[in-house]
Each structure stands twice: as C-alpha cells, then as structure tokens.
Amino acid sequence: MGNKLHALALSQGLCRKKKLFTKKGRVELAGLTLGLWASRRRAELLKLLDQLESPIAELDRAVLEEAERREDAVLLMTHPGIGPVTSLAFVLTIGSVTRFCCSRKLVSYLGLNPSEDSSGGGREPSANRAIPCCAGCWWKQRKKQRSAILLCGRAISG
C-alpha cells in the first residue's frame, strides 16, 4: 500500500520517502494532479491506510507489552536497531539460547550460515570458498542479519 502511494508520488516527481506519510507529505500527496483513475486509486489507498493505522498501533502496543514482560527480549532491545518486534520474534523462535553451545550453532539453526552437501567429501561451509555470483547478493543482504543474531546470542548467553 505504501509502495503504491510512493509510486503514484514518484510518477508526478514527488520523492519524500518516509516523509510522504507525515502531515505535510499527505498534503503534498493530496495536492498532486492525477488522472481520474489514478486519483481514485490515491483516495482508496489513503482511506485504507487511515483504516489500518489504529489496528496496527494496537498490535504494536501488544508486542511492546509482551516484549517488556520477557527479560531476554528487554536485554535484546538494548542493542541499537533491535526493537520489540525483532527481539520478541528472536526470543520466541529460539527459546533458551543455552541449548546452543556457541553462536555459530545458533546462526546455523536459523539457516543463516549456508553450507554445501556434496558426495564423497562431507559438508563444507560456503564461507571458506568463493560465493557464486547469484548467491553474492543474498550473502551481502544476510550479513547484517547474521551480525545482529550473533550479537543477540552473545548478549543473552552472557
């Protein structure tokens, strides 16, 4: 929904990124001269956005409350960039981190450490060899996630 509104704005030369959904950005978006169907689509998307704000805010509050009840989640939220959603998802997915002997096992459990199954030689981690071009983008995108999970695992395990 947000992407569609951004596309409408960009098609008219308005680039505000996250500021498009502020009061000033909404006024600019409403003031754009669009064709009949595009303006109708804009109105529908803005109406839908307004309808969804209240339930989303309620869910955000519920996630925050639940995260604040869990000691591990509160500890994770002390790290920059890790909020209630990420910390609660991590705690609920992993459970007790004491079941992992080291952070590498945790990363492997989450599937963020790709490896190769090959006959005759066993398994070798992909990190020890060059990554094929098609996997390079995936690997770079996952680097931040792997770093955050390693930090989380180390923070919880002490």
Side-chain angles (χ1 to χ4, degrees), residues 108-126:
S108 293
Y109 175 78
L110 294 172
L112 297 173
N113 187 17
S115 61
E116 173 188 333
D117 286 325
S118 54
S119 61
R123 296 172 58 131
E124 296 181 26
S126 296

Side-chain angles (χ1 to χ4, degrees), residues 110-112 114 136-148:
L110 294 172
L112 297 173
C137 297
W138 177 86
W139 187 256
K140 288 176 187 175
Q141 291 170 351
R142 297 290 187 179
K143 187 174 183 180
K144 287 185 180 181
Q145 291 175 345
R146 289 192 321 269
S147 298

Side-chain angles (χ1 to χ4, degrees), residues 13-53:
L14 179 65
C15 181
R16 296 288 180 262
K17 298 185 181 179
K18 290 182 180 180
K19 294 180 181 179
L20 185 64
F21 301 109
T22 62
K23 288 182 182 180
K24 182 181 176 185
R26 299 252 329 225
V27 168
E28 290 178 326
L29 184 61
L32 290 176
T33 306
L34 299 171
L36 176 65
W37 292 106
S39 61
R40 179 178 173 181
R41 184 71 176 143
R42 173 186 55 196
E44 290 172 354
L45 289 170
L46 287 172
K47 183 179 175 183
L48 187 58
L49 184 65
D50 291 338
Q51 290 173 349
L52 290 176
E53 282 181 2

Side-chain angles (χ1 to χ4, degrees), residues 76-154:
L76 288 174
M77 287 190 290
T78 62
H79 289 283
I82 298 179
V85 173
T86 304
S87 65
L88 187 60
F90 184 86
V91 168
L92 293 175
T93 301
I94 299 304
S96 175
V97 293
T98 57
R99 63 189 181 127
F100 300 100
C101 65
C102 62
S103 58
R104 290 185 67 139
K105 298 289 185 183
L106 173 62
V107 170
S108 293
Y109 175 78
L110 294 172
L112 297 173
N113 187 17
S115 61
E116 173 188 333
D117 286 325
S118 54
S119 61
R123 296 172 58 131
E124 296 181 26
S126 296
N128 295 339
R129 293 184 320 277
I131 299 170
C133 181
C134 59
C137 297
W138 177 86
W139 187 256
K140 288 176 187 175
Q141 291 170 351
R142 297 290 187 179
K143 187 174 183 180
K144 287 185 180 181
Q145 291 175 345
R146 289 192 321 269
S147 298
I149 289 171
L150 283 172
L151 280 173
C152 293
R154 288 178 184 150

